[in-house]
């Protein structure tokens, strides 16, 4: 495993009964990059994420995170490694019975039970502020927040343990364009400020163009290609051509070029 790789996946196979979802997935995620993962419905994007973080047991293959083999590892090793990542799940997955401050404190309580409530409140407040949420959000509940605010609150919880690696599952899904742009800008800012590596599942073409260093394409049960968006648009594969060169893809490309030129 190269020192520049924070995740290395080799010959990964996932199946559910007779249904094979992945068959020979290979992927390297470089330290410090924002990697986008795209693929059609049912290609197993979330299954791949769940495999990396230990929520799905693959049939075969190897997954190394921070140099540690994840498949078949004992719970103590998994706990040690998972301390170094944070996850923003789809729909944020906030606990509805806890306010936002208490949600952010959940991983802190798990790993640092010796810390008192006063210090935990301070840390949680700092994480909430890092995601550009108003201070009074801490006392509110998930049901009282807008979609964009829920995403930010989930991101605050994902940042609770000062991770090296951030997993984002559809971070802009369901948001209006302005809110989605704000989340993209926040991710870029956090990467720069904290030196994060970001593994991001998304179907948002604007996000792929604007913040991803590379994009991995999951299709035909494998990772077909990993490259910049500009290079992927030149590949001769039916799904890739439809995805990146269709009307939405062309609109995202034009918007990206306009931003670069200041038009």
């Amino acid at each position: 495993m190269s020192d520049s790789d924070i995740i290395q996946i080799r010959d990964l196979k996932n199946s559910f009964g007779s249904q094979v979802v992945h068959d020979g997935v290979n992927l390297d995620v470089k330290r410090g990059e924002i990697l986008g993962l795209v693929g059609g419905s049912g290609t197993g994007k979330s299954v791949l994420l769940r495999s990396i973080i230990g929520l799905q047991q693959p049939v075969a293959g190897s997954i190394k995170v921070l140099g540690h083999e994840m498949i078949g590892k004992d719970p103590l090793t998994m706990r040690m490694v998972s301390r170094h990542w944070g996850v923003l799940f789809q729909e944020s997955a906030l606990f509805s019975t806890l306010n936002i401050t208490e949600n952010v404190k959940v991983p802190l309580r798990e790993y640092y039970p010796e810390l008192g409530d006063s210090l935990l409140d301070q840390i949680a407040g700092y994480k909430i502020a890092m995601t550009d949420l108003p201070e009074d959000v801490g006392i509110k509940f998930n049901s009282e927040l807008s979609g964009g605010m829920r995403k930010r609150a989930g991101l605050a919880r994902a940042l609770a343990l000062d991770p090296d690696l951030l997993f984002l599952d559809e971070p802009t899904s369901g948001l209006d364009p302005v809110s989605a742009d704000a989340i993209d800008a926040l991710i870029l800012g956090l990467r720069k400020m904290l030196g994060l590596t970001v593994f991001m599942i998304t179907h948002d073409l604007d996000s792929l163009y604007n913040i991803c260093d590379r994009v991995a394409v999951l299709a035909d049960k494998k990772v077909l290609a990993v490259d910049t968006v500009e290079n992927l648009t030149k590949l001769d594969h039916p799904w890739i051509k439809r995805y990146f060169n269709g009307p939405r893809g062309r609109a995202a490309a034009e918007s990206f070029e306009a931003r670069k030129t200041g038009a």
Side-chain angles (χ1 to χ4, degrees), residues 19 21 25 29 37 39-40 42 52 56 75 77-78 86 110 113 115 139 152 171 201 206 208 216 253 259:
Q19 180 188 2
V21 179
V25 169
V29 180
L37 178 69
I52 297 171
Q56 166 71 28
T77 300
M78 285 296 299
E110 179 182 354
L115 297 181
I139 61 173
R152 291 172 185 270
I201 297 174
D206 288 321
L208 295 175
R259 291 188 189 205

Side-chain angles (χ1 to χ4, degrees), residues 209 227-237 240-241 244-245:
Y209 272 98
D227 212 328
T228 62
V229 177
E230 291 85 351
N231 287 338
L232 290 175
T233 61
K234 302 170 187 175
L235 297 182
D236 187 21
H237 182 276
I240 293 175
K241 290 172 70 174
F244 289 105
N245 297 322

Side-chain angles (χ1 to χ4, degrees), residues 39 60 80 113-114 139 159 183 186 217 232:
M80 178 189 72
E114 72 278 6
I139 61 173
L159 295 170
I183 292 293
L186 176 60
V217 179
L232 290 175

Side-chain angles (χ1 to χ4, degrees), residues 115-240:
L115 297 181
D117 277 335
S118 177
L119 182 54
L120 289 175
D121 285 339
Q122 291 180 44
I123 296 171
Y126 176 62
K127 301 302 178 180
I128 291 169
M130 285 174 64
T131 61
D132 296 332
L133 283 168
E135 186 176 351
D136 65 350
V137 162
I139 61 173
K140 295 184 177 182
F141 291 82
N142 184 45
S143 60
E144 300 177 273
L145 303 183
S146 67
M149 294 175 80
R150 289 191 195 107
K151 298 280 189 182
R152 291 172 185 270
L155 190 53
R157 187 176 63 186
L159 295 170
L161 297 174
D162 298 325
D164 301 305
L165 179 57
L166 193 60
F167 293 101
L168 308 177
D169 195 352
E170 300 284 4
T172 61
S173 176
L175 301 182
D176 64 83
V178 173
S179 297
D181 281 348
I183 292 293
D184 283 347
L186 176 60
I187 293 168
L188 277 177
L190 290 170
R191 191 265 294 265
K192 182 178 181 180
M193 178 171 62
L194 303 175
L196 294 169
T197 302
V198 181
F199 181 98
M200 179 173 72
I201 297 174
T202 186
H203 66 271
D204 190 329
L205 282 150
D206 288 321
S207 294
L208 295 175
Y209 272 98
N210 293 329
I211 70 172
C212 290
D213 299 297
R214 297 189 303 151
V215 176
V217 179
L218 190 59
D220 302 334
K221 303 177 183 178
K222 294 178 172 62
V223 172
L224 290 181
V226 188
D227 212 328
T228 62
V229 177
E230 291 85 351
N231 287 338
L232 290 175
T233 61
K234 302 170 187 175
L235 297 182
D236 187 21
H237 182 276
W239 188 86
I240 293 175

